[in-house]
Each structure stands twice: as C-alpha cells, then as structure tokens.
Amino acid sequence: MTDSTPPQPTRVPAPAPSPGHTAGVARGWAASVHVPARPGAGRRRCRPGDDRGSATAEYAVVILAAVAFAGVLVAVMRSGEVQQILTDLVRGALVP
C-alpha cells in the first residue's frame, strides 16, 4: 500500500515582529502575512511635536540657499569690474 499523503510545500520562516507589534506570533503560512495589532496601527500619524523629517527639510532649505548664493556669486564674478579687480590682484601678487 502506498502513502497517498501529498508532499508538503516548503515553508518560509516569518520575519521578526517589528517593535511595538503586539499581535500574537502566527504559525505556518499565516506567519508571512503582517496583520497590525489594531486597525490603523501601520499608518504613520503626524502628532503635535513630532519632528520626524525636519532634518531633511532643513537640509533642503540650506541647499536651496547655497544654490541661490552660488548663482549670485557667479553673476558678480562675471561682471567686468570684479574681473578687473581680481586680475589686478593676481598680477600684483605675481610681479614683485
């Protein structure tokens, strides 16, 4: 008599639960499905005093200011008056 039990598929272990995850640990196939402990638990909420992302916004503002300053500097350096001053400065430094 042959065994008529179908072969069992290979199971993939579930990832470790995230911090704050309070739902029970699932077993078997259900372990690969993430179910939040309560509805809306996986959504990010913006709370008063929550400053996540503020450093990124500050970097963006600083970069924009630096680009604006570089644009002004390029415009000033291209003017004939400033080029003449710089040329005279370099010639005075090279010629004794």
Side-chain angles (χ1 to χ4, degrees), residues 4-88:
S4 62
T5 307
Q8 293 294 321
T10 306
R11 295 182 184 212
V12 177
S18 59
H21 184 76
T22 56
V25 177
R27 304 279 183 227
W29 291 107
S32 63
V33 178
H34 174 71
V35 178
R38 61 187 186 283
R43 271 187 252 142
R44 295 181 76 174
R45 297 187 183 119
C46 185
R47 299 182 185 130
D50 186 12
D51 59 356
R52 284 181 287 178
S54 63
T56 303
E58 290 168 4
Y59 282 127
V61 170
V62 168
I63 289 171
L64 287 175
V67 168
F69 180 73
V72 169
L73 190 61
V74 166
V76 169
M77 295 299 287
R78 284 189 175 178
S79 71
E81 201 172 283
V82 173
Q83 285 182 353
Q84 186 62 41
I85 292 170
L86 291 174
T87 304
D88 292 342

